Amino acid sequence: MTLEVVRDEKTGVAVVSLNRPHKLNAIDEETAAELSAVWRQFRYDDTVRAVVLTGSGEKAFCTGIDRATEVPQPSSPYSIDDPLLTIGPKANDLWKPVIAAVRGMACGGAFYLLGEAEFVIAAEDATFFDPHTTYGMVSAYESAYLATRMPPGEAARLALMGTAERVSARRAYETGLVSEVTPPGDEVAAARRCAEILSAYPTDAVQGTVRALWTTRSPTLTQSFAQAPHLIALGNLPPGKQAELFGGRGGPFRVR
């Protein structure tokens, strides 16, 4: 199992932890399937009324898709299979509130998860960045999520600067990506406190509000996602070229 799920029936809060710290909680096909399955399970579990999503270890919340994962692609230029499209709670029709607790790195495909959380609480040592452009890839889905959570210029800077710049927890708070910053190690407890409050409220009212809030964002995301496969097909370097750039990683970066 690549997820750790702890349910507290007394408070109605479940804590879901990405549990691949040796891989910086990168998502492989097994993790993607488990995430989708757990969100679907929560739809039918009335003992779970709010969720905290976090990553194991101190180094990373999630670093996107595991580079060792091979995803077979259809031959059609109009179709791209992306296993991360189904890892979020909203993609699985879950309308119970999800609060993300971030420590360490959150980058690339992590925004599929952060983009579908109600809000994000981050430790002071958290950093956010999107490496796609550095390695010759189009940031399409990630940028769409960012653009609905941050001012346009800040979303553009994060998406375009690649690995050259990392957004600090404090800057993420200032730009609206993060709603609270805590001392390192306190982020999960802070998220749990919020989740316990939400869990204590009438659940139908809470879920209805989650759905209402998402409805304001979903038309923009739907339109962006419709264009994403074509932009990726046109703009991505061939996998071999991407691998060359990835193999030469390790240059300096700036924390902002």
Side-chain angles (χ1 to χ4, degrees):
M1 298 290 287
T2 62
L3 290 185
E4 180 181 343
V5 181
V6 178
R7 295 170 172 84
D8 185 339
E9 294 189 9
K10 182 178 179 180
T11 63
V13 173
V15 178
V16 176
S17 301
L18 300 170
N19 194 24
R20 303 185 78 219
H22 61 293
K23 289 286 189 175
L24 298 177
N25 295 319
I27 296 171
D28 60 3
E29 288 183 285
E30 180 183 357
T31 311
E34 288 182 16
L35 279 165
S36 180
V38 79
W39 302 133
R40 304 292 295 182
Q41 290 169 11
F42 287 164
R43 294 174 69 232
Y44 298 95
D45 188 345
D46 291 338
T47 68
V48 174
R49 297 183 295 279
V51 183
V52 172
L53 174 64
T54 192
S56 298
E58 301 177 359
K59 293 183 178 180
F61 166 77
C62 174
T63 53
I65 195 163
D66 189 329
R67 292 285 299 185
T69 299
E70 294 187 8
V71 182
Q73 295 295 331
S75 59
S76 170
Y78 303 104
S79 301
I80 293 177
D81 284 347
D82 184 342
L84 300 188
L85 280 174
T86 58
I87 65 172
K90 308 302 184 296
N92 289 282
D93 203 31
L94 178 71
W95 302 104
K96 298 176 182 181
V98 176
I99 302 167
V102 176
R103 185 171 187 189
M105 292 183 289
C107 64
F111 295 117
Y112 287 73
L113 293 170
L114 299 183
E116 294 196 8
E118 272 48 72
F119 52 90
V120 179
I121 293 174
E124 292 169 345
D125 62 357
T127 58
F128 303 83
F129 63 103
D130 187 350
H132 279 74
T133 55
T134 301
Y135 303 129
M137 296 180 286
V138 174
S139 174
Y141 296 106
E142 296 84 356
S143 291
Y145 280 120
L146 288 170
T148 65
R149 306 207 76 145
M150 303 173 73
E154 292 295 329
R157 182 166 177 162
L158 195 160
L160 289 168
M161 290 294 286
T163 60
E165 183 173 275
R166 298 186 181 184
V167 176
S168 67
R170 180 55 55 186
R171 184 59 182 163
Y173 172 77
E174 292 169 350
T175 57
L177 179 60
V178 165
S179 68
E180 181 181 350
V181 177
T182 73
D186 289 354
E187 67 284 346
V188 173
R192 281 188 63 101
R193 286 193 292 271
C194 292
E196 288 174 8
I197 291 171
L198 298 180
S199 178
Y201 292 161
T203 189
D204 287 347
V206 171
Q207 291 188 52
T209 303
V210 168
R211 189 71 182 258
L213 288 164
W214 184 254
T215 299
T216 66
R217 299 175 59 205
S218 58
T220 299
L221 289 170
T222 298
Q223 185 176 22
S224 298
F225 285 7
Q227 295 293 323
H230 312 300
L231 299 174
I232 292 168
L234 287 168
N236 274 20
L237 288 178
K241 292 292 187 181
Q242 292 179 28
E244 287 180 19
L245 291 172
F246 190 77
R249 70 192 186 279
F253 64 86
R254 171 175 175 268
V255 177
R256 179 172 62 100

